[in-house]
Amino acid sequence: MPDVDAIIPGDPCILVIFGASGDLTRRLLLPALYHLACDGLLSSKFAIVGMAMDAWTTDEFRERMTVQVRQFTTRVPFNEAVWADFVGRLHYVPGKFNEPEAFARLGTVVGGLDVELACGGNVLFYMATPPSVFGMVSSALHAAGFTKLGAGWKRVIVEKPFGHDLASAMELNREMLKYWREDQIFRIDHYLGKETVQNLMAFRFSNGMFEPLWNRNYIDHIQFTVGESVGVEGRGGYYETSGVLRDMIQNHMFQMLAYLCMEPPVSFAADAVRNEKAKLLDAVRIMSREEIDENAVRGQYGPGRGPDGATLPGYRQEASVSPTSSTETFAAIKLNIDNWRWEGVPVYLRSGKRLWKRGTEIVVQFKRAPDVLFRNTAASSIDHNRLIFHMQPDQGIELRFHAKVPGTAMRLQNVNMRFAYGDAFQASRAIGYEVLVYNCMIGDATLFSRTDLVEGAWRIAQPLLDRWSTATPSEFPNYEAGSWGPKRAFDLLERDGRRWVEIINRDVLEKVPLFAGSDPAFQNSLLMTLEPDVYELGDYIFREGDSAEEMFFIARGEVEVIGPDGKVVKTLGGGDFFGETGLLTSRPRNASIRALAQTDVFVLKRSDFKKVLTQHPEFADSVERIAKERYKLILAASLVPVAGKAAP
Ligand code: NDP
Ligand code: BG6
């Protein structure tokens, strides 16, 4: 990575995008390149040549990208001046990847631009194509003489998935290495472009405080969760051949695992970092068939309901998915790392589609302090300290520890300290591809996978793929769309006396009309005030007539809403919320809520809500308006401070 935070544009080069008419190009790649242009990080000697089968002209390509980049950029407002220059650098060559004439035409265009812009012969090839044609494109480039062009560097970015299993990844590596040297190949994993993922290294190695504790002596276990609320989003055909193990765990999650658990590298030089990552993956225990049955859980979503009550189709009902599909859309795995640092510290990973919320989090749970001092006090138990990395959509780091509850007795409460990226830094939201493409342009391969890393990751996944391909799961589908995932994923930890740490994030607040669309800083402040609480089966959370002091978010479980006539009006489950008028008014409750199962809820108290509004008076207006429009409530002056002025 560049070691100074200055605007140093990438090397002069021609970027050739294979698959320029595809989804990746329009949604992520071109917008990211435009962001680099906005930040002055593209050389003035730079051009893009797109290639795909569509018979477009350069003008048509420019017109389409003008529409699509505007649609997918995360930068507001759109910078017309930058775009006017950028769009003039776009070129298009139609052609099929198995047509030598197309590559001859490409050679002419690239050669012409190289001379015109004085790029010094530097060419970056980006394979934004289905993986099945990576080899075909490489061999066509070779046949057309691109790999041997004299002056300047030639680099190739290869998209994921890199291989379908260990054997095909090894074969693809062999094929690529026939035409390119290892230092020319940049295998992309877009998670490594995320600031929060890169921050794992910064956090670990720039803070003297935690690294001494980063081992089996102090850490009880580690959890990785990558939850997605979306389904397969029209990609059923691809997903049928993939499943969550290949799509998320083998690549994105193992990359994060490597960053979190590797030994300190001797420097940030690409190979120093990648050596340590490779060593870590090598130390992950390869599971036997029996261990897989014991330590890995897979799931597939069935029909369910979204938080808004809308019906969600099951995976088998998605387009291009077999009605008897055994593809897993969820997996939870317990891994062991057989090295000196981590021996005996389990690492639990879980990922799934159509879960109740989107959220990527890493929880490092420390060993408990001895409770000897607190045994005869009002402190009921000592909990674990936890360090939580919020990767997305919230970006931040949270430390959970105990504090004494004010009062005469020795009572403890879990409290947290939280750093939110958005509060500390004022950076525009990046797509993640910016840093990856830029690093490739400057020849820094730190954030890209090497042959051994890719193969190491497949080596861990392969026994699971083998086992799951032979044993068809009779219980599929085994979790409802919009739920927490299969129960067995919870049993996996409960068996070890542990539980998943559930994190509530901004997505949940987005579903509450009162908070939807509000500023992330406002939402983050709200999230930090949420208090967890648990109700047993049959408990009343509140009864009709009770004074309303708070609202509730259901993390897990089920409740019924009982009307004044004693009849059940509806039931609510994970992801639902209730009692929101309790934030706005102290009017007594007009219904009762009773738990139908053990139900974990997050509580937002009116007093805390008021504090947050006091810190963010600029949101008072919109809260007041929504209260009026949706709930027909005029808010008490004591709750809503005057906009723009902090309440006393
Ligand atoms: P698309 O199917 O949308 O695009 C594929 C592109 O490749 C199209 O431009 C297509 O041209 C072109 N193409 C395919 N075969 C040929 C051929 N034989 N000759 C010429 N052109 C060909 O795929 P995506 O853009 O979604 O994905 C591309 C890669 O990026 C994949 O490896 C994917 O896994 C990866 N990726 C995608 C992400 C995404 O969000 N889309 C995210 C992360 C990775 P035409 O349209 O003319 O057929
Ligand atoms: C892609 C997967 O690699 O990552 C998708 O193919 C998944 O299935 C996506 O949805 C998740 O990426 P992000 O950045 O939204 O977490």
Side-chain angles (χ1 to χ4, degrees), residues 7 26-43 46 48 68-79 82-83 86 427-438 441:
I7 297 181
R26 68 173 160 264
R27 227 166 32 81
L28 301 172
L29 190 51
L30 258 290
L33 284 158
Y34 157 70
H35 295 170
L36 288 178
C38 291
D39 294 342
L41 290 170
L42 292 181
S43 168
F46 174 76
I48 296 173
Q68 286 167 345
V69 171
R70 265 174 214 276
Q71 184 182 351
F72 293 113
T73 176
T74 52
R75 299 279 176 104
V76 181
F78 194 76
N79 191 326
V82 168
W83 182 254
F86 185 88
S428 317
R429 199 158 65 82
I431 289 172
Y433 276 76
E434 295 89 340
V435 67
L436 295 171
V437 178
Y438 174 76
M441 284 175 184

Side-chain angles (χ1 to χ4, degrees), residues 160 190-191 194 228 235 247-248 252 353 358 392:
K160 64 149 275 210
H190 79 278
Y191 265 56
K194 293 182 190 279
E228 295 194 274
R235 293 162 75 216
D247 190 48
M248 297 297 293
H252 307 324
K353 294 229 180 250
R358 172 173 184 246
Q392 62 181 19

Side-chain angles (χ1 to χ4, degrees), residues 578-620:
F578 56 89
E580 65 273 33
T581 52
L583 287 191
L584 308 173
T585 167
S586 51
R587 207 163 63 185
R589 300 287 188 192
N590 57 9
S592 305
I593 306 281
R594 195 161 62 127
L596 289 174
Q598 181 182 331
T599 301
D600 298 339
V601 295
F602 291 94
V603 185
L604 176 56
K605 290 190 184 144
R606 180 140 47 98
S607 51
D608 289 328
F609 183 51
K610 184 176 163 184
K611 270 188 227 147
V612 174
L613 274 181
T614 305
Q615 288 155 10
H616 298 278
E618 64 277 23
F619 300 113

Side-chain angles (χ1 to χ4, degrees), residues 304-325:
R305 286 193 181 280
D308 54 358
T311 311
L312 301 170
Y315 176 67
R316 291 177 179 181
Q317 286 80 51
E318 302 273 13
S320 312
V321 170
S322 156
T324 55
S325 172

Side-chain angles (χ1 to χ4, degrees), residues 17-28 51-56 92 94-99 103 126-134 136-137 158-162 188-190 235 238 247 252 433:
I17 303 177
F18 296 105
S21 60
D23 180 68
L24 178 78
T25 303
R26 68 173 160 264
R27 227 166 32 81
L28 301 172
M51 185 173 177
M53 283 188 274
D54 303 62
W56 299 341
Y92 186 80
K96 287 197 183 133
F97 300 149
N98 56 358
E99 277 176 357
F103 282 79
Y126 197 120
M127 301 216 192
T129 66
S132 52
V133 302
F134 293 167
M136 186 198 285
V137 175
V158 187
E159 261 299 340
K160 64 149 275 210
F162 199 86
I188 256 188
D189 181 311
H190 79 278
R235 293 162 75 216
Y238 152 75
D247 190 48
H252 307 324
Y433 276 76

Side-chain angles (χ1 to χ4, degrees), residues 376-431:
N376 298 318
T377 70
S380 49
S381 64
I382 297 274
D383 202 356
H384 293 270
N385 297 145
R386 295 187 181 104
L387 180 63
I388 302 173
F389 296 90
H390 298 272
M391 315 298 280
Q392 62 181 19
D394 294 326
Q395 304 191 330
I397 297 174
E398 180 182 353
L399 186 60
R400 295 190 181 173
F401 54 96
H402 291 111
K404 182 185 168 298
V405 178
T408 49
M410 176 52 84
R411 281 210 171 80
L412 298 177
Q413 186 177 306
N414 263 324
V415 293
N416 66 354
M417 289 199 301
R418 200 171 157 129
F419 145 76
Y421 252 85
D423 290 349
F425 305 108
Q426 285 223 319
S428 317
R429 199 158 65 82
I431 289 172

